[in-house]
C-alpha cells in the first residue's frame, strides 16, 4: 500500500478558537432562539380556554382558595348587618369576621378571600336579624363558619 500524507483541514483550530472566544455571543443567541420558541409554543390570548381569560403569571389573577384537590362547598352565612349584604354580588371576594355577641370583644377572621356564590333576596321580616349570603369555602372552613354563626355575630369585608 502506498504511503499517504495525513489529511489536514484548513482553519480547523482557528474556527474552534473563534467559537470559544465568542462563546458569550453564541450562548446569548441560543437563549434568544429558545425564548422565542417557547413564546411561540405557549398559549395565545383569544384562543379560548381558562388561561386566555386571565393574565399568565399574575398572582391576583389566580383563584384564591381554589387549589387542585381542595373541594369547595356552598356555605350559607347569616351576616348581622343586612345593609352590608345588599352591597355584595355573586363573584365578590370577602373576609368573614366573627365578633362577640353584641359586638363586644375581639374580632377574628373565620374565612379569608372566599367567593360569594349567591345573595338571596332579603327577608321581609325584620325580626329575622341580618341577611343571608352563600359563600364557596373548603369543607373545614364551612364547619368553622357554622360554629361561629351559632355563638357570634358575623360580618363581611370586601377584598
Amino acid at each position: 500500500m502506498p504511503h499517504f500524507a495525513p489529511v489536514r483541514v484548513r482553519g480547523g483550530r482557528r474556527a474552534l478558537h473563534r467559537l470559544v472566544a465568542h462563546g458569550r455571543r453564541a450562548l446569548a443567541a441560543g437563549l434568544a432562539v429558545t425564548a422565542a420558541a417557547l413564546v411561540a409554543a405557549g398559549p395565545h390570548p383569544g384562543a379560548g380556554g381558562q388561561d386566555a381569560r386571565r393574565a399568565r403569571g399574575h398572582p391576583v389573577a389566580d383563584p384564591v382558595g381554589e387549589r387542585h384537590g381542595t373541594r369547595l362547598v356552598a356555605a350559607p352565612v347569616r351576616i348581622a348587618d343586612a345593609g352590608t349584604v345588599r352591597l355584595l354580588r355573586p363573584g365578590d371576594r370577602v373576609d368573614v369576621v366573627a365578633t362577640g355577641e353584641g359586638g363586644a370583644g375581639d374580632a377574628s377572621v373565620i374565612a379569608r378571600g372566599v367567593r360569594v356564590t349567591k345573595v338571596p333576596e332579603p327577608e321581609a321580616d325584620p325580626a329575622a336579624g341580618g341577611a343571608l349570603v352563600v359563600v364557596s369555602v373548603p369543607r373545614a372552613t364551612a364547619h368553622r363558619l357554622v360554629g361561629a354563626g351559632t355563638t357570634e355575630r358575623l360580618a363581611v369585608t370586601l377584598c
Side-chain angles (χ1 to χ4, degrees):
M1 178 145 249
H3 178 68
F4 291 102
V7 178
R8 298 188 190 255
V9 178
R10 291 187 173 212
R13 276 189 197 182
R14 193 180 341 218
L16 181 61
H17 178 69
R18 194 175 19 219
L19 180 63
V20 171
H22 300 291
R24 287 186 184 148
R25 264 193 243 161
L27 180 63
L31 287 174
V33 169
T34 303
L38 288 173
V39 168
H44 298 288
Q50 183 178 3
D51 289 338
R53 282 185 253 130
R54 63 179 187 204
R56 289 187 293 158
H58 196 276
V60 177
D62 293 332
V64 177
E66 296 179 16
R67 296 181 205 110
H68 298 291
T70 302
R71 182 162 180 195
L72 300 177
V73 296
V77 179
R78 182 157 300 277
I79 305 302
D81 184 14
T84 303
V85 175
R86 286 196 305 260
L87 299 174
L88 299 178
R89 302 284 177 259
D92 287 345
R93 293 270 182 194
V94 296
D95 291 344
V96 180
V97 181
T99 61
E101 195 61 41
D106 292 332
S108 61
V109 178
I110 304 296
R112 292 184 189 277
V114 296
R115 185 178 302 264
V116 174
T117 57
K118 189 171 182 181
V119 182
E121 290 296 321
E123 297 176 12
D125 182 22
L132 195 65
V133 64
V134 180
V135 295
S136 180
V137 294
R139 188 175 300 271
T141 305
H143 295 166
R144 287 196 309 268
L145 285 170
V146 169
T150 59
T151 60
E152 301 175 285
R153 294 173 48 98
L154 298 178
V156 293
T157 58
L158 285 166
C159 297

